[in-house]
Amino acid sequence: MRFAHSLLVAGASLASLALAQSPTPDLIVLTNDPVVLIDNYDQTFPSNCAGYSLASGCFQTILGIYYPAGSGPTALGYSNAKRPVLIQLRGANANNQVPTQLSWFQTYVLPHGFVGVDPNYAPVLPGEDYTVSLADIRVLVQYLRHYHEWFNIDPDKIFVFGRSFGAIMSMGVGLREDAQDLSSSAPFAHQSSRPNFLIPFSGMADMNCLAAQVLWGDLLQLWFPVSSAPGATVAQKNADSPLWWLTHPELYNRAWTPRICLGYAPPSGLPCGQYIDPHDGGYAAILQNGIDELVMKTNEAHVGLAQHLVTSAGDLYAFGEAMADAMNWAKQQLVPQTDTLYLVPPKTPITPLGSSQALRVVGAEPGALVGYFAGFTTGSVFVPNCSNIQVGLLDFFPLGWKFADSSGQAQLNVFAPPQAIGLDLVLHVADFARCETSQLLHKTWSE
């Protein structure tokens, strides 16, 4: 469905809703079955921008809200449980006049039970930078949380998907400063602007990895005028890099980190510093290593356990075919997780003489004794007195035991002989006293 401008301007003929409950948004119902709503999350503008020109800025904060079949707000007669939300952030630097992505949501998002949110947000103009766009997205998340009761959505299950520039913005709203201000007189500002889950696809992650001449260089110069300028320092490039935001939560007062699903095409093979394409698939491994660095720094084991990579060879921007994998990941985040310990993938190569491998686990009970195991075959297992452990190694052999330190981390150093190269090993860590396990980590050393 495309929303025509004439339909929006005629919004006066469509009744705005009122609910005997506060707060209640002043929005427009385009259809009731299925529910399609339209509003302006900048509440200084009317929901349909009636009487405002395109140059006014009103249309920059228009959004569509789409519900799965058979669900919607209670004010419209629906009684379903609160739904999770997926926001889609556009790429490039221009909006459609009004939201146009309903068919995309109907294909990839709504069938999975998520409410779809299709927003415009401010493009970056000369003399500005990406923070202009980011400010709007923060307000959007606050808007959804402020009105979550009316919208019948779960304020703790907000996912932000973005591609290209939208991917950078998804990481910005999730990893940089939270706009929440409990002292503000504006009720919106009392809400957190940090979403719970991030799905950035094909997003530039580190300005330091880009070559001197890159594709879409004009846009990068517009969005990042300082870090893309000739002679920009490493510190200036770091300040505009999602990798830096991810691994330095202390700089952004980030007390917790959203779970992350990454989407990239295969890497070009170029080294960091020579990326010609800002969407280079090499950013996937860089960000995954950044997640591991963060987890070891902050003990956020759940962030490590949740990380996932969607690889799409036929869809550079991972906007279509890869969404099935991404939505399966999103649904998995809605159920209680079984693993609680995160085993950080070892990153040291194996030399012709072998090498020492550090197997670090995060999220254990301080002082707990954890066991390290390796094997080749996984399947259903029975562990006495631990009925929750139902999948494990069928042919395991012990590597050793370690007590977790005061932060809940333990590290076992093991020697990996050159014969291990090419083997599909599976590593597993368990605290049998508390019936806690790590993920089953498949590790194949190629060198």
Side-chain angles (χ1 to χ4, degrees), residues 182-265:
L182 297 177
S183 66
S184 173
S185 59
F188 265 41
H190 299 171
Q191 301 295 330
S192 171
S193 66
R194 196 180 308 289
N196 309 94
F197 308 92
L198 306 179
I199 310 179
F201 277 15
S202 300
M204 186 285 299
D206 188 349
M207 291 292 291
N208 295 283
C209 287
L210 297 177
Q213 299 295 323
V214 297
L215 300 173
W216 299 286
D218 290 345
L219 283 175
L220 286 174
Q221 292 168 17
L222 180 67
W223 294 329
F224 308 107
V226 174
S227 58
S228 65
T233 65
V234 170
Q236 289 171 327
K237 293 181 179 181
N238 284 341
D240 285 346
S241 297
L243 175 67
W244 184 261
W245 309 338
L246 170 69
T247 55
H248 292 81
E250 71 282 356
L251 298 180
Y252 308 102
N253 295 318
R254 193 175 78 238
W256 59 276
T257 302
R259 302 178 194 178
I260 303 173
C261 172
L262 301 168
Y264 283 93

Side-chain angles (χ1 to χ4, degrees), residues 306-332:
Q307 68 166 304
H308 180 65
L309 174 62
V310 177
T311 302
S312 174
D315 183 359
L316 175 62
Y317 301 103
F319 193 54
E321 66 183 50
M323 285 307 298
D325 192 352
M327 291 309 302
N328 284 334
W329 175 85
K331 289 190 295 183
Q332 291 170 6

